[in-house]
Amino acid sequence: MGTGSNQMWGGRFAGGPSAVMREINASIPFDKALWRQDITASKAHVAMLAAQNIVSAEDARTIDGGLDTVAAEYEAQGVPEDWDLEDIHMTVEARLTELVGPVAGRLHTARSRNDQVATDFRLWVREALERADAGLEMLQRALVTRAGEHADSIMPGFTHLQTAQPVTLGHHLMAYYEMIRRDRSRLADARARMNESPLGSAALAGTGFPIDRDATAQALGFEGPTRNSLDAVSDRDFAMDYLMAAAQCSLHLSRLAEEFVIWASQPFGFVRLPDALSTGSSIMPQKKNPDAAELVRGHAGRMVGAVTALMMTMKGLPLAYSKDMQDDKPPVFEAASLIDLSIAAMTGMVADATFQTERMRQAAELGYATATDLADWLVTQADIPFREAHHITGAAVKLAEQRGIALDALSLEDLQAIDARLDARVFDALSVDASVAARASYGGTAPDQVRAQVARAMADLEMDT
Ligand code: ARG
């Protein structure tokens, strides 16, 4: 080896890399996060090499023990960051060599860093995906629990953020349950698709050694080996699938977060946020700010940025591995910590928020939210076509608005002056309770329908009812 050249691949180099080359080349500052996966995959690889008589049982035992020692060191002291060793794969191997000597060099038989990084990263992403899924299940449990408590709590339902029709808080919360259910289904799809082992694809073309790819796939919990070595070493779909599912989930979380920001504002006053997830102001003592919710809302932007970053990295890359692909990790690592935090913050917020149900109910009663019920009454009780009923109702709302009173505070004489077909029974339809109870179509806001949604969700989650 030339002086100062790389100890792993420096055989044909006369001199070492420049300072810029060392720095731009190094992925160890971020890919050290893969150390557990790297060691796990190496242990599976060397066990297979021994089983196939590619290395001796004794050498394999030495290497395996050495890898355990490296793992224990990293666990206790962290991973050292030497730019000359470029990445986690070479860092582990270099330390293994220090520990067990030249026999360490047998570990890299029938393997390349290209299939190694593809394998390690898949293992890491699979874990991140499972962590997100477990977090989302907790969020679902919190949503279902609160929805069950509030199946009868009336609030205004909005379109255009204008009071539209009364709904129940339970119904509103279960809407988010459904979004999270789809997020979890996307994560499950992504997991099923990614669960193939690239190990043994080697640099790009496979290997001449008699390896057993099924064995390493099985040892690492994959369904089986990937089918095409060129694809396997250059595929990052698994990371994009995870990022896209997580980004879409973060959009849902940002919507829920925004609801809390709005609901916690003084003019709304629908919710008191948990102290544990709010902050005060250094100058305005009365303030309790929804910072956690605002950050969840903000993180969705960074999540979408991460998806975009990885997609742009992969765009136009010819087969097989290109060094651009080393840039795949920072956006995934960033997105994974953002989504984990966002899920945890929203779970705490849903579980511990104090809903101001009296205030919500008053807001529902204020905004002429039962105008549709008046129109529906005219259709069902007076056999008036809906369009005409809508017009009559509009006149009633206008009158109530002029007087500054609720719809059901108009007198029977007032109503009959608008349309003689209205009679006293209509007042039964104008309360917010009657309004939500009437919306008993499947998936509707009637408390019984909400309870049915909650019961089904609890069964899906195997929760005790
Ligand atoms: N540090 C590299 C990465 O993260 C590992 C693969 C390097 N392979 C290569 N042919 N230079 O992508």
Side-chain angles (χ1 to χ4, degrees):
M1 280 189 204
T3 38
S5 69
N6 190 284
Q7 55 175 305
M8 296 292 167
W9 43 252
R12 60 162 293 200
F13 285 77
S18 73
V20 169
M21 186 59 213
R22 287 170 67 243
E23 185 167 356
I24 197 171
N25 203 40
S27 54
I28 187 67
F30 51 86
D31 70 15
K32 62 185 181 179
L34 298 176
W35 72 263
R36 287 174 214 279
Q37 291 74 20
D38 194 76
I39 289 173
T40 301
S42 285
K43 284 167 68 82
H45 182 66
V46 78
M48 180 278 291
L49 292 178
Q52 297 297 105
N53 294 314
I54 299 167
V55 302
S56 71
E58 195 195 331
D59 286 351
R61 258 195 310 278
T62 306
I63 290 170
D64 188 77
L67 287 168
D68 286 338
T69 306
V70 177
E73 287 179 3
Y74 290 177
E75 189 75 74
Q77 296 143 36
V79 181
E81 226 181 89
D82 177 353
W83 288 355
D84 284 326
L85 292 172
E86 184 182 328
D87 58 26
I88 186 61
H89 323 295
M90 302 220 274
T91 300
V92 171
E93 193 182 325
R95 182 63 189 138
L96 183 67
T97 307
E98 285 169 3
L99 289 168
V100 305
V103 65
R106 297 194 185 277
L107 172 60
H108 213 53
T109 313
R111 184 178 81 171
S112 150
R113 276 185 299 151
N114 295 346
D115 60 338
Q116 199 179 353
V117 68
T119 304
D120 295 359
F121 197 27
R122 262 190 214 232
L123 292 171
W124 194 95
V125 169
R126 193 175 68 185
E127 272 175 46
L129 184 152
E130 285 167 356
R131 203 164 55 236
D133 186 64
L136 288 175
E137 183 180 338
M138 299 307 288
L139 175 55
Q140 283 185 316
R141 286 168 181 268
L143 286 165
V144 169
T145 302
R146 300 314 302 270
E149 289 165 23
H150 292 287
D152 296 285
S153 304
I154 289 173
M155 65 177 286
F158 300 98
T159 59
H160 314 269
L161 201 55
Q162 304 281 319
T163 299
Q165 291 174 352
V167 296
T168 67
L169 175 57
H171 193 220
H172 195 118
L173 293 173
M174 287 307 287
Y176 284 94
Y177 176 89
E178 289 299 313
M179 295 181 222
I180 304 302
R181 193 163 70 84
R182 293 193 295 275
D183 291 330
R184 293 189 65 198
S185 145
R186 269 182 286 275
L187 287 172
D189 287 349
R191 192 192 185 287
R193 201 154 41 236
M194 76 174 60
N195 207 28
E196 292 179 352
S197 173
L199 195 57
S201 299
L204 73 166
T207 175
F209 291 98
I211 60 171
D212 180 352
R213 294 193 59 208
D214 289 300
T216 45
Q218 199 189 1
L220 297 171
F222 290 113
E223 279 301 312
T226 51
R227 298 181 188 188
N228 180 299
S229 62
L230 289 169
D231 174 50
V233 293
S234 62
D235 166 43
R236 294 296 182 269
D237 286 2
F238 62 90
M240 278 185 277
D241 279 354
Y242 163 68
L243 281 189
M244 288 189 280
Q248 199 164 349
C249 174
S250 79
L251 300 184
H252 296 148
L253 299 179
S254 80
R255 296 179 69 182
L256 180 58
E258 173 67 357
E259 307 264 20
F260 277 97
V261 171
I262 293 172
W263 292 356
S265 70
Q266 282 72 17
F268 268 78
F270 284 8
V271 72
R272 278 212 320 273
L273 296 178
D275 284 351
L277 289 165
S278 327
T279 57
S281 158
S282 51
I283 179 163
M284 295 166 283
Q286 85 282 11
K287 292 205 74 182
K288 183 167 167 188
N289 293 328
D291 294 42
E294 294 168 276
L295 285 163
V296 170
R297 191 175 63 186
H299 286 173
R302 291 169 67 192
M303 295 288 301
V304 174
V307 178
T308 310
L310 181 55
M311 286 189 163
M312 289 303 99
T313 293
M314 296 307 295
K315 176 183 176 296
L317 291 184
L319 293 176
Y321 178 86
S322 295
K323 193 76 175 206
D324 314 43
M325 294 171 69
Q326 180 165 287
D327 281 342
D328 57 358
K329 288 162 217 80
V332 174
F333 292 161
E334 184 192 24
S337 30
L338 291 176
I339 195 71
D340 289 349
L341 268 174
S342 292
I343 293 168
M346 291 321 296
T347 303
M349 211 159 320
V350 169
D352 297 330
T354 311
F355 294 107
Q356 308 294 90
T357 49
E358 261 318 299
R359 175 89 178 195
M360 287 182 163
R361 186 185 173 89
Q362 283 162 9
E365 284 170 342
L366 276 182
Y368 305 108
T370 58
T372 316
D373 298 276
L374 175 54
D376 288 351
W377 187 91
L378 287 163
V379 171
T380 52
Q381 303 301 316
D383 196 28
I384 297 174
F386 183 77
R387 281 290 158 226
E388 190 186 343
H390 184 283
H391 195 76
I392 296 165
T393 305
V397 169
K398 193 170 163 195
L399 183 63
E401 214 168 30
Q402 278 165 4
R403 304 237 175 110
I405 58 175
L407 215 43
D408 60 355
L410 289 171
S411 69
L412 185 57
E413 293 72 48
D414 288 334
L415 288 172
Q416 287 181 333
I418 292 167
D419 194 290
R421 288 167 290 186
L422 285 157
D423 65 49
R425 291 173 303 153
V426 72
F427 291 107
D428 293 337
L430 291 183
S431 74
V432 289
D433 301 280
S435 174
V436 296
R439 291 197 163 62
S441 55
Y442 179 77
T445 202
D448 285 346
Q449 279 296 324
V450 174
R451 274 187 277 274
Q453 285 184 52
V454 167
R456 166 185 278 199
M458 284 186 151
D460 287 349
L461 295 170
E462 293 173 357
M463 285 168 80
D464 296 329
T465 43

